[in-house]
C-alpha cells in the first residue's frame, strides 16, 4: 500500500484532525509538567553518563587506538589453535578441573544449604530473630564475590582447584540458602495439613507433605546453578584457584592470541553441552509442572 | 465401620497390584541408578579437583583464624585489639576507598547504561514477533548469547591488553556483558506484548520504526527499566572485582590487601563494599516497586 492510498478511517481522521485536536487536547499534547519531568530525568541520566565517560578517562583517540589494537587481537586469533597436542591435553585437563569444581561446589553447597532453607523459612521457624539472623548471615556471604572467596580460600588451603571448590561452596551456600527458603515458604500448606489429618507426625508432614513439593524446585535450581557456575568457575583460576581461568589469563598476558581463541571456544562448547544436558534433566525433573508454573 | 470403597475381587486386583509393584520397582531402580551415577561423578570430580579432606580439616583453623584476624588491628596504639576499638585506625584509608568506590559505582553505571542502550536496540531484532527474518533474528540472538556466555572478567582481560590499564576496559567489559544479559531479557518482554497496537499502527501505514516507537516501547518501557535497575545492582558487584585484572575500581586495592596480608584493610574494604551493595539493593528495589506501581495506574 502506498502512502497515498490511506485506509478510509485514517483518511477521515486526517481530515478531521483539527476537530479531534480541540476535542481531545490531552492525547495530542502531554501536560507540560509531565514533559519537564521526563526530559529532566533523561537529561540527568545523560549528564551522569557524560560525567562518567569523562571521569573514567574515555577519549576518542584512546578508543580508536584501542579498537585498532582489538581488531589486531581478533585478527590474530584466527584460526584458533593450541599449538601442540600436549598443550591441548593440558587445557583439556584444566577444563575438566573447571567442570569438576563447578559440580562439587554446587552439590556441596546444596547439601549444606538444605537445612538452612528450613531455618530461614518463615513458615517453619516462626521466630523472627532466628529468621532475621539467618537471612542476614546468608546475605553477607552472598555479598562477597566468589573471586574474593577464592582469594581467601587460596590463603587457607593453598593454590589449586581445591580452593576453587571451597570458594564456590561458600558463594553458592549464600545463594542456595535464600532460594531454598523461598521454595519452602512458597510450598502449599494443605499437603502438610493433609498428612497431619491422617495422623502423621510433624516429621511425616515434612517428609510426605513438604518435601515432594520442594524437591523438584530445589533440584531445578541446583541444576541451573551448575550451569551458571560452569561459566563463573572458568574465571576463578585467575586468582590461582584452579581450572581453565589460569591458562586463559596467562595466554592473554603473553599475547598468545590463537591459544586464547581456542580456550574461549573450548569453554563455550563445554557451556553449551552442559546447557543442553541440564535443560533436559530439569524438564524431566519438573515434568509438566513446568508449564503450570 | 465398613469401608465405603468397594473392594475388587482378588483375581481382578492381582494384575493391578503387579503393575503397581512394577512401576514402583522401576522408579526405585531408576533412583538407585541415578544415585550410583551421581556418586561416581562426585568421586571423579573430587579426584580431578584435588579435593583433600584431610588437608581441609587440618587447615580449617586457618580459615577461622583468617576471619578472626581481618578484624584485629595490626597498627597504631590499639594494635592487637578488635577493629571496633579504634574505628579511625581501621578506616584509615576511608577517603581513598570512598573515591575508589565512587569510581566502581561510576564504572557500573556507565557500563549498565551503554549495555542497556545496545541491548535495547538489539532486542527488537531478536524478538520473534517483530523481526520475521530468520537470519537477522538468529544473528542477533547468537550475538547476545556470545556476549553473556564469555565471563566479563575475560573481556576485561582482553580489553586491558588493547585499551591499557584503568577503568575503560572495565566499563567496556561490563557493557558487553550487560548487552547480552539485558538483550535477552528485553527480547522476552517484547515477545510477550499485546500485538493489537502493532497491528493497528501497521494498518495505518506506519513504518517499522514508528511501530516500535509508538506500539511497542510504551508497553515494555517500565519492564525494561526494572530489568536495567536489577542489572545495575549485579554490575556493582561485578565492578567491585574488575580491579583484580587491572580494570579500575576498588578491586585493585582489595586484591592488594589480600595478597599482601594487610588483614584489617581486607575487612574494611569488604565492609564498605557490602554496605554499598546493600544500599544500592534497597534503593533500586524502591524505584522498581514504584515503577511497577505506575503500571497499575489507570
Amino acid at each position: 500500500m502506498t502512502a497515498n492510498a490511506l485506509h478510509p478511517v485514517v483518511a477521515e481522521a486526517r481530515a478531521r484532525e483539527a476537530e479531534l485536536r480541540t476535542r481531545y487536547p490531552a492525547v495530542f499534547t502531554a501536560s507540560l509538567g509531565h514533559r519537564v519531568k521526563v526530559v529532566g530525568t533523561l537529561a540527568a541520566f545523560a549528564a551522569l553518563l557524560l560525567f562518567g565517560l569523562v571521569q573514567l578517562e574515555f577519549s576518542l583517540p584512546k578508543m580508536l587506538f584501542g579498537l585498532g589494537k582489538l581488531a589486531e587481537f581478533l585478527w590474530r586469533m584466527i584460526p584458533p589453535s593450541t599449538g601442540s597436542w600436549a598443550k591441548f591435553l593440558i587445557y583439556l585437563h584444566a577444563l575438566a578441573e573447571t567442570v569438576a569444581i563447578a559440580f562439587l561446589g554446587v552439590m556441596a553447597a546444596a547439601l549444606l544449604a538444605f537445612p538452612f532453607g528450613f531455618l530461614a523459612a518463615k513458615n517453619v521457624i516462626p521466630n523472627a530473630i532466628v529468621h532475621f539472623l539467618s537471612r542476614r548471615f546468608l546475605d553477607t556471604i552472598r555479598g562477597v564475590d566468589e573471586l574474593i572467596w577464592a582469594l581467601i580460600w587460596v590463603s587457607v588451603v593453598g593454590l589449586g582447584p581445591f580452593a576453587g571448590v571451597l570458594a564456590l561452596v561458600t558463594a553458592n551456600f549464600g545463594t542456595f540458602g535464600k532460594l531454598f527458603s523461598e521454595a519452602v515458604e512458597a510450598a502449599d500448606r494443605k499437603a502438610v495439613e493433609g498428612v497431619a489429618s491422617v495422623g502423621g507426625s510433624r516429621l511425616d508432614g515434612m517428609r510426605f507433605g513438604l518435601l515432594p513439593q520442594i524437591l523438584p524446585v530445589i533440584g531445578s535450581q541446583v541444576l541451573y546453578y551448575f550451569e551458571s557456575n560452569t561459566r563463573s568457575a572458568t574465571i576463578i583460576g585467575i586468582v590461582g584457584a584452579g581450572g581453565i581461568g589460569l591458562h586463559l589469563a596467562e595466554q592473554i598476558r603473553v599475547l598468545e592470541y590463537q591459544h586464547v581463541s581456542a580456550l574461549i571456544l573450548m569453554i563455550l562448547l563445554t557451556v553449551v553441552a552442559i546447557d543442553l544436558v541440564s535443560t533436559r534433566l530439569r524438564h524431566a525433573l519438573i515434568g509438566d509442572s513446568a508449564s503450570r508454573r | 465401620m465398613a469401608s465405603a470403597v468397594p473392594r475388587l475381587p482378588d483375581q481382578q486386583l492381582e494384575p493391578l497390584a503387579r503393575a503397581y509393584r512394577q512401576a514402583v520397582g522401576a522408579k526405585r531402580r531408576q533412583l538407585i541408578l541415578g544415585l550410583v551415577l551421581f556418586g561416581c561423578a562426585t568421586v571423579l570430580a573430587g579426584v580431578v579437583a584435588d579435593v583433600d579432606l584431610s588437608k581441609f580439616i587440618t587447615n580449617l583453623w586457618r580459615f577461622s583464624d583468617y576471619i578472626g584476624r581481618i578484624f584485629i588491628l595490626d597498627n597504631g596504639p590499639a594494635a592487637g585489639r578488635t577493629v571496633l576499638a579504634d574505628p579511625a585506625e581501621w578506616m584509615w584509608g576511608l577517603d581513598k576507598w570512598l573515591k575508589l568506590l565512587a569510581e566502581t559505582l561510576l564504572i557500573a553505571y556507565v557500563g549498565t547504561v551503554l549495555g542497556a542502550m545496545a541491548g535495547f536496540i538489539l532486542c527488537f531484532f531478536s524478538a520473534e514477533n517483530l523481526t520475521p527474518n530468520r537470519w537477522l533474528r538468529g544473528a542477533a540472538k547468537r550475538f547476545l548469547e556470545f556476549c553473556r556466555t564469555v565471563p566479563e572478567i575475560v573481556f576485561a582481560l582482553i580489553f586491558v591488553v588493547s585499551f591499557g590499564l584503568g577503568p575503560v576496559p572495565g566499563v567496556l567489559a561490563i557493557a558487553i556483558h550487560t548487552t547480552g544479559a539485558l538483550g535477552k531479557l528485553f527480547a522476552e518482554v517484547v515477545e510477550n506484548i499485546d500485538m493489537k497496537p502493532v497491528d493497528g499502527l501497521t494498518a495505518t501505514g506506519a513504518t517499522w520504526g514508528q511501530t516500535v516507537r509508538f506500539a511497542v516501547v510504551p508497553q515494555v518501557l517500565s519492564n525494561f527499566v526494572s530489568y536495567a535497575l536489577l542489572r545495575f545492582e549485579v554490575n556493582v558487584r561485578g565492578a567491585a572485582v574488575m580491579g583484580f585484572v587491572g580494570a579500575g575500581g576498588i578491586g585493585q586495592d582489595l586484591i592488594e590487601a589480600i595478597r599482601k596480608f594487610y588483614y584489617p584493610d581486607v575487612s574494611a574494604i569488604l565492609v564498605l563494599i557490602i554496605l554499598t551493595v546493600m544500599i544500592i539493593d534497597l534503593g533500586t528495589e524502591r524505584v522498581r516497586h514504584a515503577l511497577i506501581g505506575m503500571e497499575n495506574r489507570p
Side-chain angles (χ1 to χ4, degrees), chain A residues 45 148 155 161-162 234 238 248 268, chain B residues 49 52 66 109 149 151 153 254:
Chain A
F45 275 112
I148 299 170
S155 61
F162 189 34
T234 55
I238 291 174
L248 190 58
L268 286 181
Chain B
D52 186 348
Y66 192 95
Y109 174 78
T149 305
I153 290 265
L254 180 61

Side-chain angles (χ1 to χ4, degrees), chain A residues 151, chain B residues 96-97 100 103-104 160 165-167 239-260 269 273:
Chain A
L151 268 172
Chain B
K96 183 176 70 163
W97 294 329
L100 284 170
E103 187 180 86
T104 301
V160 163
L165 292 170
V241 294
M242 276 295 155
F244 281 26
V245 296
I250 188 115
Q252 186 84 50
D253 266 39
L254 180 61
I255 196 172
E256 228 175 81
I258 295 179
R259 288 237 163 102
K260 292 185 178 162
I269 296 175
I273 292 179

Side-chain angles (χ1 to χ4, degrees), chain B residues 213-245:
Chain B
R213 164 68 187 84
F214 293 105
V216 183
V217 170
Q219 287 189 58
V220 296
L221 205 57
S222 59
N223 263 326
F224 277 18
V225 175
S226 152
Y227 276 136
L229 280 172
L230 205 63
R231 194 68 220 173
F232 174 60
E233 222 176 279
V234 176
N235 283 344
V236 172
R237 287 168 216 260
V241 294
M242 276 295 155
F244 281 26
V245 296

